[in-house]
Amino acid sequence: MSELNNIALKILEKGKGILAADESTGTMTKRLDGVNVKSTPENRLSFRETLFSASSMTKCIGGVILYDETIRQQTSKKKKIPELISDMGSNPGIKVDTGAKVLAGSPEEKITEGLDGLRERLKEYYKLGAKFTKWRGVYNISKNHPSKLSIQSNAHALARYSALVQETNMVPIVEPEVLMDGEHSSEECFTKTSEVIKKCFDELILHKVDLKGIILKPNMILSGSKSKDKISSEQVAKLTLECLKKSVPSEVPGIAFLSGGQSEIEATENLDLINKYNDTNFIMSFSYGRALQQSALKYWSKDIHNSDGAQQIFNHRAKMNALAAQGKWSKDLEN
Ligand code: 13P
């Protein structure tokens, strides 16, 4: 088994998933503003340290995606953040893209940047302790979108990123996120997501990326947030599985979904049903940001010096999602 395949499997072993705590300073400031906490480096660290030292890190969280600021920070006890994560039994990872910018030639769409100088940055992150990385391509659905141009150019960037990451002996998370925003139906989400993922794999193969040493981070198949056609969790699970079966090569060891604006319970319930119906060899787990942090953040904001209550809430969500990643969750466990 290759070293990279080993790392990918370790991150997703036994129902473990990923905590996406890689919000850029801008996004984290929005989240903190939302709960009336001032966005300072100390407060951003304090919330994150609260999560990373929670007991569920050991059994439920196989990897944590960090932002550049956080991977360089030290805990209140002067321990380096990647070291804290490793000591808890998890794996530190790092977001390496520099964000989605307006796509020249199709100004309503985005292209993710960050390839220039990436090889050098990756070497530094590896030295800081990162075992895996993340790059997010983002696509919106409307009548003419995502365009061929956006699908092609984001797939190209994801593949060049992945090849560089594997060269540095880390596992790339390949994240093509088809956004939930809009009025589109679940069928449209299915068609566009399939097209986006297939193109990503065409490019990954062209760039000689070892598919056994990546983790795919896709969206689930949902209807748009403003669509009238609401579908059940059973339908979400079945459509998502059908889409992935048709578009993901069998070598890929694991798939870790983003939550993308679903509520905490929705994200858990959908993942659970995906696993109850999973008839593939792919590990199907989570790489959630908001769906793991929302309630914990709200609680923490009331007394940022008392971490216990926020940790209990986070531990519960992490545990529920780890059960869902094995198809063992049920609604009554939420109480
Ligand atoms: P959400 O789960 O909040 O969508 O965040 C996951 C993520 O990493 C988006 O890039």
Side-chain angles (χ1 to χ4, degrees):
M1 206 190 316
S2 77
E3 190 191 337
L4 295 179
N5 181 250
N6 243 328
I7 298 172
L9 291 173
K10 192 95 197 125
I11 293 171
L12 301 179
E13 73 178 358
K14 300 179 197 144
K16 287 184 189 178
I18 298 169
L19 166 62
D22 60 322
E23 297 85 357
S24 64
T25 302
T27 303
M28 198 57 193
T29 299
K30 262 191 239 157
R31 303 264 194 272
L32 290 174
D33 284 351
V35 292
N36 297 314
V37 174
K38 194 164 189 288
S39 182
T40 60
E42 294 73 29
N43 286 345
R44 293 193 287 273
L45 173 65
S46 166
F47 178 61
R48 285 163 168 163
E49 185 179 343
T50 299
L51 301 183
F52 306 163
S53 41
S55 60
S56 57
M57 287 286 298
T58 309
K59 283 199 175 143
C60 307
I61 305 292
V64 178
I65 317 174
L66 300 168
Y67 182 58
D68 183 78
E69 176 184 69
T70 325
I71 200 171
R72 301 171 194 281
Q73 285 175 317
Q74 289 196 351
T75 67
S76 45
K77 295 190 182 102
K78 301 278 170 263
K79 195 184 260 195
K80 292 183 171 126
I81 287 291
E83 205 182 314
L84 166 66
I85 293 168
S86 302
D87 287 354
M88 293 300 291
S90 189
N91 291 286
I94 180 80
K95 184 227 301 285
V96 302
D97 67 65
T98 55
K101 309 285 158 59
V102 172
L103 175 62
S106 185
E108 286 168 25
E109 298 186 285
K110 299 266 173 72
I111 177 72
T112 302
E113 295 189 347
L115 289 170
D116 288 350
L118 181 58
R119 180 178 270 131
E120 288 67 37
R121 287 197 293 125
L122 290 172
K123 284 182 189 150
E124 192 196 358
Y125 287 137
Y126 185 78
K127 279 199 195 135
L128 288 168
K131 299 274 188 288
F132 71 100
T133 63
K134 176 187 123 173
W135 179 290
R136 171 176 176 258
V138 56
Y139 312 80
N140 52 301
I141 298 184
S142 66
K143 192 162 165 277
N144 300 315
H145 300 134
S147 64
K148 289 260 178 290
L149 176 61
S150 131
I151 292 175
Q152 175 66 57
S153 51
N154 276 297
H156 174 85
L158 275 162
R160 283 185 58 199
Y161 140 82
S162 299
L164 284 166
V165 171
Q166 289 193 336
E167 185 189 87
T168 322
N169 281 315
M170 295 185 282
V171 168
I173 293 190
V174 175
E175 180 179 8
E177 176 175 7
V178 179
L179 294 170
M180 201 210 274
D181 310 352
E183 295 177 359
H184 56 270
S185 64
S186 52
E187 285 84 9
E188 279 171 285
C189 179
F190 181 98
T191 312
K192 302 295 184 185
T193 303
S194 307
E195 198 184 338
V196 161
I197 294 178
K198 276 185 193 150
K199 183 57 80 184
C200 285
F201 282 105
D202 288 349
E203 287 287 320
L204 288 167
I205 291 165
L206 186 65
H207 287 257
K208 304 200 169 17
V209 172
D210 173 9
L211 298 185
K212 292 195 182 80
I214 72 158
I215 294 173
L216 178 70
K217 175 165 173 166
N219 50 284
M220 294 178 190
I221 304 301
L222 305 163
S223 48
S225 52
K226 290 191 190 134
S227 161
K228 288 181 198 87
D229 140 66
K230 286 285 164 245
I231 60 169
S232 66
S233 287
E234 281 76 13
Q235 285 171 297
V236 171
K238 286 182 178 159
L239 287 172
T240 302
L241 280 166
E242 197 186 326
C243 167
L244 296 172
K245 271 197 262 187
K246 285 186 181 151
S247 50
V248 183
S250 59
E251 294 96 310
V252 173
I255 296 176
F257 295 98
L258 57 98
S259 63
Q262 299 177 67
S263 73
E264 290 180 343
I265 304 284
E266 257 177 311
T268 305
E269 182 169 17
N270 289 339
L271 178 63
D272 179 61
L273 285 172
I274 288 171
N275 278 291
K276 285 193 165 92
Y277 299 140
N278 186 7
D279 55 355
T280 72
N281 289 323
F282 301 126
I283 298 172
M284 301 274 192
S285 190
F286 58 93
S287 176
Y288 293 164
R290 285 161 286 180
L292 272 170
Q293 299 184 56
Q294 235 159 35
S295 298
L297 178 67
K298 217 173 184 178
Y299 192 95
W300 171 84
S301 70
K302 293 192 190 118
D303 179 4
I304 65 170
H305 300 295
N306 172 10
S307 51
D308 287 1
Q311 285 184 337
Q312 274 179 34
I313 291 174
F314 173 70
N315 286 337
H316 176 72
R317 277 286 31 95
K319 206 169 146 194
M320 292 299 105
N321 284 309
L323 287 171
Q326 302 166 81
K328 293 181 181 166
W329 174 86
S330 67
K331 222 172 218 152
D332 47 291
L333 294 171
E334 290 291 345
N335 303 313

